[in-house]
Structure formats: structure tokens, C-alpha cells
Amino acid sequence: METAKSAEKKIKSPAKSAAAKVEAKKDGKNKKPHHPRNKKLPGGIWKYSKSQMYGRRALYKIKKVAMEKKKDNEKPLYKVKQVNAKGGLQVRNVPIKKEQRVICLKHLKESGLLLVTGPWKANRVPLRRIHPGLVIATQTKLDLSEVKLPAHLNDRYFKRVKGSHKKKNKEEGSLFEAKPQAYVVSEQRKADQVEVDKQMMAAINKHPEKETLIHYLRARFSLRNGMYPHKMIY
């Protein structure tokens, strides 16, 4: 028969072995090396493809939650700085016609663009819209309190009518007749430009330095060596 001491040893032996395993894990003993699921073969090709690893990692169980986008239709598309006020002179940075100086007339609410003009009589810049990020605001301002713009000068006024570019049959005409028509300025825009130019030139003539202001509007803006825009005062 087994004695009481031998029975106690049998009961305590499993506890001792469990404690020894815990200590061995802490010390890093008996630790199994990590084997990656995918490995490169001698030819430099992975053993499993991306689609196979997608299934092995069970990535299909992860649910992707799409974030809801909030739409604010009331806000304009672009934010305009406070410096771009009515009557402020802007430097227009457009690569097509180089840098020109224009006068800001108003901020269009629908698109958030700026309505500017040269005026046309001063520097050949017509009424047109421009993105606020393409202008540099200056400290020079012009009093436009007496200038009254036509009410129809909005975003719809500047939209061009797109012509039909459908291909004609060979029987109807040759390929040379199917060329798109060039844009022609309407009579309405010409009349509006003349009306706005009269009021703008009257406001410029009332400026104390009108001759200098006209030369300033006609001059092109350019940077040379040693001229840093962030250190310049416009």
C-alpha cells in the first residue's frame, strides 16, 4: 500500500511541473521558433499567391465599414479670403496669358469663384470668372461704391453652350465639314463689357493716383532672382 507521503508527492508533482513550465516560458526556454505562413521558394517566387494568402489569413471575415459623407449644398465650393473684397486689386496667376493685374468685382455664391475684370480698356482683360487660389490679393483698393453691375452677371451667364459633335454620315458631307465651330463672343457680352468698362474707368479716374494706377494695371507681374513671394508686400 502507498503511504501518505507518497500520495502527497504525487499530488504536488503536477503543480511543480506547471510552475516550471511558466518559468521556462518567461525565461524564453522551450520557445518554438516562428514559422511564417508564406515563404519564398529557391527561384525567388512565393509559395502562395496573394489570393491564397487572403484565404489563409481569413481576411474575408473582416468587415469594412464605409464612412458616410456629409454633403453641404448651402456652402460654396471654394472658400474666399477676407482680403478678396470688392474693389481689391488682384494679381492673376494664369499660365495661359501670363500674370496680369485685375480688379475683383464680386464673389459668386453658386460656384465660389471670383468675378474679375481688367478693365478691358486698361489691360485687355474681359469680364471672367477665376478660382480664388489663382490670385494674389494686394493692399491696393479702388472705390466701387458707385459701380452698378448688371443683375444677370452670375455663373449661368458665363456657361458656354456646347455644340453637337455627332459624326455625320459620308453621304451628308465630308470630314472637313464636321469641324467644331470656334467660340464667338455674343453681342450681349460685348454690351455688358462696354457698360462695366465705363463705370470702372470713371472710378479709376477719381483715384488720386489715377495715372500710376493705370500703368500698374497694364504692367505684367513677374518674379526674378532673389525675389521671394512669401517675403513680398503686395
Side-chain angles (χ1 to χ4, degrees), residues 25-234:
K25 285 183 179 180
K26 289 181 180 179
D27 298 338
K29 296 178 181 179
N30 301 327
K31 189 176 181 180
K32 294 181 180 179
H34 173 69
H35 296 286
R37 297 182 181 180
N38 201 1
K39 60 181 180 179
K40 276 189 176 181
L41 299 175
I45 302 172
W46 290 98
K47 186 178 181 180
Y48 302 108
S49 63
K50 287 185 178 181
S51 58
Q52 288 175 329
M53 290 303 298
Y54 184 83
R56 283 178 169 271
R57 291 175 180 172
L59 297 176
Y60 53 86
K61 294 183 180 179
I62 300 173
K63 295 182 179 180
K64 295 181 180 180
V65 181
M67 299 295 291
E68 295 181 359
K69 295 182 180 179
K70 295 182 180 180
K71 295 182 179 180
D72 298 331
N73 297 327
E74 297 179 358
K75 295 182 180 180
L77 298 177
Y78 311 108
K79 292 183 179 179
V80 182
K81 299 178 182 178
Q82 294 181 357
V83 186
N84 293 334
K86 182 179 178 180
L89 271 72
Q90 321 290 332
V91 178
R92 176 169 163 265
N93 294 326
V94 181
I96 299 173
K97 291 188 176 180
K98 297 184 179 181
E99 289 74 9
Q100 296 173 320
R101 291 178 171 90
V102 294
I103 300 173
C104 179
L105 298 177
K106 67 176 182 178
H107 168 223
L108 301 174
K109 295 181 180 180
E110 293 182 8
S111 62
L113 302 176
L114 299 176
L115 177 62
V116 299
T117 186
W120 174 263
K121 195 173 183 180
N123 56 8
R124 299 298 178 183
V125 179
L127 286 165
R128 64 187 310 163
R129 299 176 297 173
I130 192 169
H131 192 283
L134 297 177
V135 297
I136 302 174
T138 63
Q139 295 180 354
T140 309
K141 287 190 177 181
L142 189 66
D143 186 14
L144 301 180
S145 58
E146 297 181 1
V147 176
K148 296 181 180 179
L149 299 174
H152 56 267
L153 290 179
N154 50 22
D155 290 301
R156 297 178 183 176
Y157 175 80
F158 291 96
K159 285 185 178 180
R160 295 186 181 182
V161 179
K162 295 182 179 180
S164 59
H165 299 284
K166 295 181 180 180
K167 294 182 179 179
K168 296 182 179 180
N169 298 329
K170 293 182 179 180
E171 297 177 357
E172 294 180 4
S174 62
L175 295 174
F176 297 100
E177 295 179 358
K179 289 183 178 179
Q181 295 180 356
Y183 174 73
V184 180
V185 182
S186 62
E187 296 297 329
Q188 178 67 32
R189 291 196 67 169
K190 291 179 181 179
D192 293 337
Q193 186 68 56
V194 172
E195 182 183 352
V196 173
D197 276 9
K198 286 181 181 178
Q199 300 182 54
M200 294 295 296
M201 294 305 297
I204 292 172
N205 291 330
K206 291 180 181 179
H207 196 271
E209 300 178 356
K210 59 180 180 179
E211 294 182 0
T212 307
L213 184 61
I214 291 174
H215 287 295
Y216 177 76
L217 289 170
R218 289 176 179 174
R220 301 273 184 176
F221 174 78
S222 61
L223 295 174
R224 299 178 183 175
N225 293 336
M227 298 173 66
Y228 304 101
H230 61 282
K231 292 184 179 180
M232 296 173 64
I233 299 175
Y234 297 95

